[in-house]
Amino acid sequence: MIEKITLTKIGPYQEHWATIYIDPNNSYSAGGGRITVVMGDYVGSAFFSHVGQPTFKEFIAQCDPEYLIRKLFKVDQWIPVENGEEFIEYVALERLDAIKEHRSSGTVTKAALRELYDELKSSEFTNTSHLYDILYKTERETMESIFGDDWWFELNPSKINRIYTFLDSMLTDVIAEFKKLNEVTA
């Protein structure tokens, strides 16, 4: 029998809602079943056939948000940067030492870095190969000086996925509710 659970005042600012449908199914294991989670624009569903817990609610209560995000929504925590500003932010956070090293050794000039910065800040691209294609030869040479000849292939600049962050906050509250439900029935 499918059970419907509605939660309100959840998420990062306690202003969101979720509707959860639980369909216990002990065909394969005592605690197996299907969970469907509806949270506004995001809907995820997964079937868990072989679990070690005696009930499906206990299984959900012991899950961590990262696991449920992967199973229900198939959303990655990190996604590629999509514009020059995000690329600059990635470089500033992850690769600043390389830039400082090349700047202090004289292999990259301040003027070359400024040209690269000016070109990057207004760029939009789908991946680093696309960025390689849209950069002028001088800016590509600056990138090669800092990150190596195959930077466009090996460098994978990424940023945190805001959807993942949102789902993580929401599922943390959903799991907390299942923990409360298990305490009440115990």
Side-chain angles (χ1 to χ4, degrees):
M1 183 168 134
I2 296 176
E3 181 180 348
K4 178 181 174 182
I5 301 168
T6 302
L7 304 177
T8 58
K9 297 183 181 177
I10 63 171
Y13 302 105
Q14 303 295 298
E15 62 183 17
H16 296 282
W17 58 270
T19 302
I20 302 114
Y21 298 93
I22 301 294
D23 184 10
N25 181 328
N26 61 3
S27 298
Y28 302 100
S29 68
R34 173 171 295 281
I35 183 171
T36 302
V37 179
V38 179
M39 297 183 287
D41 292 339
Y42 306 102
V43 178
S45 185
F47 179 71
F48 300 90
S49 58
H50 294 83
V51 301
Q53 289 68 27
T55 70
F56 191 57
K57 287 181 181 178
E58 288 178 73
F59 168 72
I60 297 300
Q62 63 80 43
C63 288
D64 61 6
E66 295 83 13
Y67 176 73
L68 288 179
I69 291 170
R70 278 192 317 272
K71 291 296 207 175
L72 294 169
F73 301 100
K74 295 167 182 52
V75 172
D76 292 325
Q77 184 174 8
W78 297 94
I79 57 175
V81 298
E82 298 168 330
N83 62 50
E85 289 180 12
E86 293 172 349
F87 185 85
I88 292 166
E89 186 177 320
Y90 167 81
V91 169
L93 293 172
E94 303 292 331
R95 304 292 182 129
L96 193 56
D97 291 341
I99 293 173
K100 287 179 180 178
E101 181 181 315
H102 288 283
R103 178 72 181 98
S104 65
S105 69
T107 55
V108 177
T109 66
K110 184 177 180 179
L113 287 173
R114 173 52 65 186
E115 285 178 30
L116 177 61
Y117 174 81
D118 289 340
E119 183 63 29
L120 283 173
K121 71 180 180 183
S122 61
S123 299
E124 291 193 17
F125 45 87
T126 55
N127 55 40
T128 51
S129 296
H130 184 213
L131 174 61
Y132 179 88
D133 290 340
I134 64 174
L135 287 177
Y136 293 111
K137 182 180 182 208
T138 54
E139 283 82 21
R140 281 196 306 246
E141 289 171 352
T142 303
M143 292 289 284
E144 288 171 7
S145 296
I146 299 169
F147 303 116
D149 292 340
D150 292 332
W151 68 267
W152 56 273
F153 181 72
E154 294 175 354
L155 189 65
N156 294 311
S158 56
K159 63 181 180 178
I160 191 78
N161 185 345
R162 290 188 176 135
I163 295 169
Y164 183 95
T165 304
F166 172 75
L167 292 173
D168 183 65
S169 172
M170 296 288 283
L171 288 174
T172 297
D173 291 345
V174 168
I175 292 166
E177 183 65 24
F178 275 86
K179 288 179 181 177
K180 283 188 227 172
L181 290 172
N182 286 326
E183 291 172 4
V184 169
T185 59

